[in-house]
Amino acid sequence: MERMEINPQGALEAARRFIAAGRMDAADMLVEDVLSAEPAHVDALALRASLLIAQGQVEHAFELLGALASHQPGRADIVASLGMVHRLAGREDDALFCFERAVELEPAAGAHRLTLAAFLLAAGDLGRARDQVAAVLDRRPQEGLELLAQAHALAGRIAFMADGPFAAEQALRKALELRPGEGEDLALLSEVLARTGRRAEALELARQAYLQAPTDHGAALLLARRLVDMSQWEEAERHLRRIVATAPHHVEANHLLASRFILKGEGARALATFGALVRRDPENVDQLLRMAQLLRLGGDLERALSFVEVAARQAPAAAAVKAMGDDLRLALGRVGEVWPPAAEPPSPPVLAVPLGTPAADVVLLGRFARQVAPAGSRLTCHAEPELQPVLAGLVGLAPTTDRPPADAVALTDLPALVGVSIAEDGAELPTAPYLAVEARRDETWRAAFSEFPRPLVGLVWDEDEPGIMLDALMAALGERPEGRGTWVSLAFDASRRQLAAHPSIVDAGAHFGDFRDLAAAIAQLDLVVGPGALALHVAGALGREGIVLSPAHQPWAWARRAERALWYPTLRVIGQSTPGRWDDALAALRSTMAPEAAQEEVA
C-alpha cells in the first residue's frame, strides 16, 4: 500500500493552532504524524516539547529540550522553552538566563520579550518588565494583533502592580479593543475600576468575565467580590455557596461567606465555620489574618489582634501582618505602640500622597504636617489633581501635581516620622482647627444659610445597606419642625438620590463645586451627624461639633476615649453594637440629640 505523504510545515502550523485552542490531543496527533515520517524534524521535536510542558511532563520536556538546545544553540524558541522548563522546576536563575538569551537571539520577536517581561513581573522587577513591554509596543510586533493585545494586557498588569490604576485602565482597554471578551483582561480591569471607586462599572466587567467562564471559581469569586462591593449580598451569597459546594476548603469563598453570616447576625456560625479551616492549617498566615478580619468585623478587636500576633510569630517580616496589627492597635487607641514619640524632631520632608488614598485619610493625616513644618512655612506635598482642593486648605501643606522626587515621604508615613504622644486624656493632641476655609467661599455659604433657622445640622448617610440609609437616620431623628432648626444635606454623590423622600432637608450638596465648598458649608453649621464619611473628618478638622456613628469594626480614625474621637475631640462617637444592624446606635443618637432639642425649645 502506498504511504500517504504529509506536509510537515502545514501539519505543524495546524498543530500550533490546536495548541492555541487548547486541543492538545489533536496537536499531539499531528506532531506524531510528522515525527513518524521524519524522526529528527527539529520543529516537530520542539513542538513535542511544548506539548510535554503543557501536559505537566516537565522532566521529559527537559530531556528533549536539553538535547535540542545542544544541537541547535541558536534557536531562540528552543532556548525559551528550556527556560519555561527551568521555571517550572524552580530553577529561577536558569530560567531568567534562557529568557534573556532568547531575546538576544531574536530581538525582533515580541513573543520572547513578553515571556521575559512576564517572568520579570512575577519576580517583582517592574522596571525591567516595563522596558521589555515598551520595546514590543514601540516596534508593533510582526506576529500580529494577538501579540499586541498581550503586550497591552501585560502593560496593564505592570501598571496595576506599580499603583498606577489609570495607566493600567488605559492599557487594559486597548487590550480589550484588540481581543474583546478576554476573561483575564476583564477581571483585572474590574479590579482597577473597583480600586478607583467606579463600583458599578467594575461589577459589569465582572459579570462579563463570569459569562466567559461560569464554571471557573476565579470568575465566580470575582463576581462575588464586586457584588459585595455593591452590597448585593444575596446574589453574592449564591455564587459563594456554589464555590464552596464544589471546593469546601476554598479559603476566600469561605471568608466572604463568613462575613455575610456576621452581617446577618450569625457571628457564632461564621467563626465556627472559618475556624475549622484555620485549625486544619494553624500556621497559615493568610488564614490567620482572615480570621482576624472576621473577628474585627464582629467587633472583637482585642481577639482579632491576638490572631495577628500569632501570624506575626509565623511571618515576622510580612508587610500585611504588620499593617493589620498597626491598624488594630490604632483602632484600640494604642497609638504609642505604632507611632512612638520621635527622639528628636525630624527634618522637614517633601511629602507625596500615595495613589488611591481616600480624601478622608488625607484630612486626618494632614494634622501632622504642622508638627514638622518650619514656623511660617509649608511642606511641599505631591498628589493627584483630584486631591489638590483638599490639600490646599490643610495648614502646613503646599500641594503640587508635579511628579514627586524619589526621596519623598508618603503622607501615610508622616505620623511614624514625627511620632505621636497622647496622654490618657488626649491632651497632647492639638485641638485647634487645622483646616482653613477660603474667605470667598466662607462668605458665600454664610449668606446662603443666613435665612434658615438654627441650629443648622448637617447630615450624611451611606449609599448602600448595611450602612445607615437616610430613611433610617430620619426615623431616629424625626422630621425637624419649622422653627427648631434646619437639616442640611452634605451628600454630593449617588446617595443624594435618597433625598427625594425628604423634601424638608436643604440640599446643600447639590451646590458643591469641590471639597472647598464642602468645607465652607460645614464651617457654617452647628453640628454634623452621620456615619464616618468625609464630612465628619472635615467637621473635626475645622473644630466643629459632630456625632459619628461608627461601625462595629471601628476604623482607626474613630478610635475614642470617653465617647470622644481620639483625633477629633469635638466629635462624639457612637459605636455600633451589632454588625449589620444600627438600631442601638440610632437609639443612642436619638437620646443624645434629645437634650439639645429640649434646650432649643426652652430657648
Side-chain angles (χ1 to χ4, degrees):
M1 183 175 179
E2 186 178 352
R3 183 177 178 178
M4 183 178 67
E5 293 292 332
I6 186 169
N7 176 356
Q9 293 308 119
L12 294 179
E13 185 57 39
R16 292 186 183 94
R17 290 197 297 272
F18 282 133
I19 290 174
R23 298 176 60 187
M24 300 302 172
D25 290 343
D28 195 44
M29 186 180 298
L30 291 175
V31 170
E32 183 61 34
D33 287 342
V34 175
L35 290 174
S36 295
E38 299 183 46
H41 196 292
V42 175
D43 289 341
L45 289 170
L47 206 54
R48 166 59 59 80
S50 297
L51 285 165
L52 290 171
I53 293 172
Q55 294 162 359
Q57 300 184 46
V58 178
E59 290 303 320
H60 289 167
F62 179 68
E63 292 293 331
L64 177 54
L65 288 167
L68 287 173
S70 298
H71 291 90
Q72 300 282 338
R75 283 283 298 264
D77 59 334
I78 293 173
V79 174
S81 294
L82 188 57
M84 190 65 67
V85 171
H86 282 310
R87 185 179 186 184
L88 290 171
R91 298 185 289 268
E92 301 292 318
D93 291 342
D94 291 340
L96 177 58
F97 178 80
C98 288
F99 294 146
E100 290 175 333
R101 178 61 177 158
V103 171
E104 290 174 3
L105 290 170
E106 288 186 9
H112 299 324
R113 288 191 179 275
L114 294 187
T115 299
L116 175 58
F119 180 86
L120 293 168
L121 177 60
D125 193 342
L126 303 188
R128 289 180 65 198
R130 188 184 295 111
D131 291 343
Q132 293 298 326
V133 173
V136 175
L137 293 174
D138 290 344
R139 196 169 293 184
R140 295 193 67 86
Q142 301 172 357
E143 294 93 331
L145 295 180
E146 174 60 27
L147 198 70
L148 190 60
Q150 292 175 20
H152 283 302
L154 196 51
R157 281 157 177 74
I158 293 168
F160 183 74
M161 290 187 66
D163 287 330
F166 300 110
E169 178 185 352
Q170 184 179 34
L172 290 166
R173 290 196 185 280
K174 288 179 179 178
L176 285 165
E177 286 176 7
L178 296 169
R179 51 177 187 185
E182 173 61 34
E184 289 187 5
D185 296 345
L186 288 168
L188 185 58
L189 185 54
S190 174
E191 296 284 6
V192 170
L193 296 178
R195 177 178 290 191
T196 54
R198 286 171 285 175
R199 298 181 301 163
E201 191 177 355
L203 173 58
E204 176 56 31
L205 288 169
R207 289 193 189 280
Q208 293 179 34
Y210 173 74
L211 291 175
Q212 299 297 319
T215 60
D216 179 69
H217 286 166
L221 189 62
L222 174 74
L223 178 55
R225 283 198 218 103
R226 295 291 87 86
L227 289 165
V228 169
D229 291 343
M230 296 291 287
S231 295
Q232 297 180 23
W233 273 104
E234 289 189 12
E235 185 182 351
E237 183 176 344
R238 187 170 68 250
H239 289 288
L240 292 169
R241 286 185 179 278
R242 287 177 180 172
I243 296 172
V244 172
T246 55
H249 299 150
H250 194 293
V251 174
E252 187 171 358
N254 274 290
H255 178 255
L256 284 174
L257 264 181
S259 301
R260 166 65 165 161
F261 295 150
I262 289 172
L263 294 175
K264 289 168 65 175
E266 301 175 29
R269 174 187 180 186
L271 296 177
T273 302
F274 198 81
L277 285 181
V278 175
R279 286 191 295 275
R280 287 175 57 86
D281 189 4
E283 297 182 357
N284 186 300
V285 172
D286 175 63
Q287 291 183 181
L288 289 167
L289 294 183
R290 288 181 184 275
M291 188 66 175
Q293 290 171 345
L294 294 174
L295 287 163
R296 182 175 188 175
L297 182 63
D300 194 343
L301 275 65
E302 292 283 4
R303 194 171 166 210
L305 183 58
S306 71
F307 272 83
V308 175
E309 289 169 344
V310 173
R313 289 195 289 272
Q314 302 293 336
V321 175
K322 182 181 186 307
M324 188 178 295
D326 286 351
D327 194 70
L328 280 164
R329 291 183 182 93
L330 290 173
L332 289 164
R334 293 159 57 174
V335 180
E337 298 176 31
V338 182
W339 299 325
E344 57 185 41
S347 301
V350 172
L351 299 173
V353 180
L355 199 62
T357 303
D361 288 2
V362 172
V363 172
L364 194 160
L365 294 165
R367 70 177 305 126
F368 300 104
R370 15 177 225 185
Q371 293 178 236
V372 67
S377 66
R378 299 187 294 170
L379 302 178
T380 300
C381 187
H382 300 259
E384 295 298 307
E386 293 79 6
L387 288 176
Q388 296 297 306
V390 181
L391 292 164
L394 293 169
V395 176
L397 292 179
T400 175
T401 57
D402 293 344
R403 189 180 184 88
D407 61 349
V409 173
L411 181 66
T412 48
D413 292 336
L414 187 57
L417 181 69
V418 302
V420 182
S421 177
I422 305 178
E424 285 301 316
D425 60 359
E428 278 85 350
L429 278 176
T431 57
Y434 63 90
L435 181 65
V437 174
E438 285 186 1
R440 178 178 60 82
R441 294 176 196 259
D442 183 71
E443 183 57 37
T444 297
W445 282 98
R446 180 179 290 108
F449 287 133
S450 62
E451 297 180 3
F452 294 101
R454 287 188 176 273
L456 299 172
V457 180
L459 300 177
V460 288
W461 54 91
D462 291 309
E463 186 176 342
D464 302 300
E465 293 179 323
I468 300 176
M469 309 295 276
L470 181 57
D471 285 349
L473 188 62
M474 295 310 295
L477 296 176
E479 299 292 341
R480 205 174 189 84
E482 184 177 355
R484 281 185 47 199
T486 306
W487 297 126
V488 178
S489 165
L490 299 173
F492 54 88
D493 52 18
S495 62
R496 284 186 58 243
R497 290 189 295 244
Q498 299 174 46
L499 282 168
H502 302 277
S504 64
I505 300 175
V506 175
D507 187 5
H511 306 283
F512 292 167
D514 58 32
F515 173 87
R516 290 168 292 190
D517 284 309
L518 172 66
I522 290 174
Q524 314 307 319
L525 303 180
D526 300 294
L527 185 72
V528 179
V529 177
L534 175 60
L536 271 302
H537 286 267
V538 172
L542 288 169
R544 310 302 295 177
E545 293 290 326
I547 303 174
V548 181
L549 298 166
S550 177
H553 65 266
Q554 190 169 307
W556 73 268
W558 305 122
R560 57 190 183 270
R561 288 185 182 169
E563 303 287 317
R564 290 283 170 177
L566 190 63
W567 305 106
Y568 302 118
T570 59
L571 304 184
R572 283 175 283 183
V573 181
I574 297 174
Q576 179 189 47
S577 59
T578 305
R581 298 188 59 180
W582 289 97
D583 311 50
D584 291 349
L586 289 171
L589 172 66
R590 182 166 53 248
S591 63
T592 299
M593 297 281 286
E596 297 178 4
Q599 290 174 8
E600 292 158 18
E601 288 178 343
V602 171

